[in-house]
Amino acid sequence: MPRFLKSPVPRSQVTAARADVTDRVRTILDDIREHGDEAVRRYSEKFDNWSPESFRLSPEEIERIVAGVPRQTLDDIRFVQKQVRTFAQAQRDSMLDVEIETLPGVRLGHRHVSVSAAGAYVPGGRYPLTASAHMTIVTAKVAGVPRVAACTPPIRGEIPAATVAAMHLAGADEIYLLGGVQAVAALAVGTESIPGVPMLAGPGNAYVAEAKRQLFGEVGIDLFAGPTEILVVADEQADPFVVAVDLLSQAEHGPDSPAVLVTTSEALAREVEQHIERLLPGMPTKDYAEPAWRDHGEIVVADTLDEAFGIADSYASEHVQVLTENPRQALEKMHDYGALFLGEGTCVSYGDKVIGTNHVLPTRGAARYTGGLWVGKYLKTVTYQEVTDTDSSALLGEVCGRAARVELFEGHARSGDVRAAKYGARALPWNEEAGA
């Protein structure tokens, strides 16, 4: 049986906080639906103290901003975007169109067609998540999305130059300096100055995540997301210092970011906890990492590695880092996770920033039913049918007539009857009874 050496705060405390977010987001969305640009500007002034003449950056403004970014930063952005593009292209290449002939002259097929436009949200606030531009925009462009409108907030009244450069180099067709609920709402419902999009993608804070949840159905979204999560599976071979550092690397995302250790070694668990207590006071981001570990950190000791993998699956965590003697066992043993990071040579931070897989991943247990953002999220798999053989159409017409009448769909049945009659010389008794 697993033993909990450290447990999180009661779930009821988290649920109460979420209810307040839900109500506030609903009010903002309704206001923007009704008042458009005026409401967007009002909320941008309120939350970001930002009200430019136009939220959209002109080509000249983008050129000037990018020119001011250090060359090394631009080179690093290009390097990372190449990694993301290479992997995304491999994913796209794996998605083949299909056409088969099931009967003589009966052709069935599907095609992968991109959405007509997508909105990419690139978070800012305390952390300008430049990497989110790579993940959302590059991936959309590889999928073939013709119009990508990207939003990112100003940071303390300043333009986040590196983020704008990343959005531009990724291929964004429109760049808006606009953040929060007002940004995703404007993209989703459309305003006088911001044409709407049929799909939203990208991470964000609790308010942005809730806005996407409430807008789902009105538009498509990449996935439901919440606070960043990390879960480490470790055995006695793991380095406790590395485990501690990696747990804290994700705890710094926010005060509600869960960091969980599941291990087969109680000795390692104790050492990890000691390292965390020593490292936390000196972290520049301890005001986020400290409450995250205090309120949402967990340490679980399992009797066996199989039990540890089972416990990890029950969390369905966004990021699962496997620091065991044979980390690739997790590929066979686990199935509920956003992304796996195998062995000490890799880490979740690589996935967040540089390695090329997408960092927009499911949280709050959503990994039980979905993976993360990838080119397929921007594609619609649409089918087509064609019947060119008259004998096959007559056969299908007969079967359709019988099958539809079992379900009491007379109109459907008659569509089949007409073809059975035209191509197979079958009778149309219902037409004769009508006097035709």
Side-chain angles (χ1 to χ4, degrees), residues 170-181:
D173 300 285
E174 302 160 26
I175 297 176
Y176 299 89
L177 278 181
L178 185 64
V181 175

Side-chain angles (χ1 to χ4, degrees), residues 130-407:
T130 303
S132 289
H134 322 326
M135 307 301 175
T136 54
I137 302 167
V138 169
T139 307
K141 283 303 181 181
V142 171
V145 179
R147 173 187 167 228
V148 178
C151 287
T152 196
I155 300 178
R156 294 178 291 278
E158 299 292 330
I159 296 172
T163 302
V164 171
M167 296 161 86
H168 173 65
L169 294 174
D173 300 285
E174 302 160 26
I175 297 176
Y176 299 89
L177 278 181
L178 185 64
V181 175
Q182 59 270 23
V184 294
L187 288 171
V189 307
T191 70
E192 300 91 323
S193 64
I194 303 177
V197 297
M199 180 182 172
L200 298 172
N205 63 18
Y207 291 92
V208 169
E210 176 60 21
K212 287 171 61 181
R213 189 190 70 81
Q214 292 188 27
L215 288 163
F216 178 58
E218 189 171 347
V219 296
I221 65 171
D222 47 0
L223 46 87
F224 296 118
T228 293
E229 303 165 348
I230 182 173
L231 186 148
V232 175
V233 177
D235 61 14
E236 69 280 356
Q237 304 295 324
D239 182 333
F241 178 71
V242 170
V243 174
V245 169
D246 288 348
L247 286 168
L248 291 177
S249 75
Q250 298 301 299
E252 74 176 358
H253 271 276
D256 52 357
S257 289
V260 180
L261 169 62
V262 181
T263 180
T264 55
S265 169
E266 184 169 342
L268 177 128
R270 301 291 186 190
E271 286 190 66
V272 169
E273 193 166 26
Q274 290 170 9
H275 282 302
I276 288 175
E277 290 173 358
R278 178 177 61 83
L279 291 168
L280 259 176
M283 282 189 72
T285 52
K286 72 173 183 177
D287 53 338
Y288 278 2
E290 197 167 51
W293 176 250
R294 181 191 66 226
D295 297 339
H296 303 280
E298 297 184 56
I299 298 177
V300 187
V301 179
D303 291 328
T304 66
L305 194 54
D306 279 348
E307 183 182 48
F309 285 135
I311 293 168
D313 260 350
S314 72
Y315 282 81
S317 183
E318 177 187 16
H319 306 104
V320 175
Q321 192 166 330
V322 184
L323 299 175
T324 61
E325 185 175 12
N326 182 10
R328 291 183 69 87
Q329 281 184 320
L331 293 172
E332 299 297 327
K333 299 287 187 178
M334 292 190 64
H335 51 81
D336 290 338
Y337 52 84
L340 282 180
F341 299 82
L342 303 176
E344 189 179 272
T346 186
C347 60
V348 174
S349 295
Y350 284 1
D352 281 347
K353 308 299 180 187
V354 298
I355 206 167
T357 49
N358 208 291
H359 79 191
V360 183
L361 297 166
T363 64
R364 294 181 178 171
R368 292 177 292 109
Y369 59 82
T370 187
L373 180 61
W374 69 298
V375 289
K377 293 282 188 177
Y378 293 104
L379 297 171
K380 303 175 292 182
T381 302
V382 293
T383 61
Y384 61 90
Q385 307 81 37
E386 181 183 33
V387 182
T388 58
D389 184 274
T390 55
D391 289 342
S392 291
S393 186
L395 171 62
L396 290 170
E398 283 191 80
V399 177
C400 179
R402 294 193 297 268
R405 288 186 174 97
V406 168
E407 298 177 345

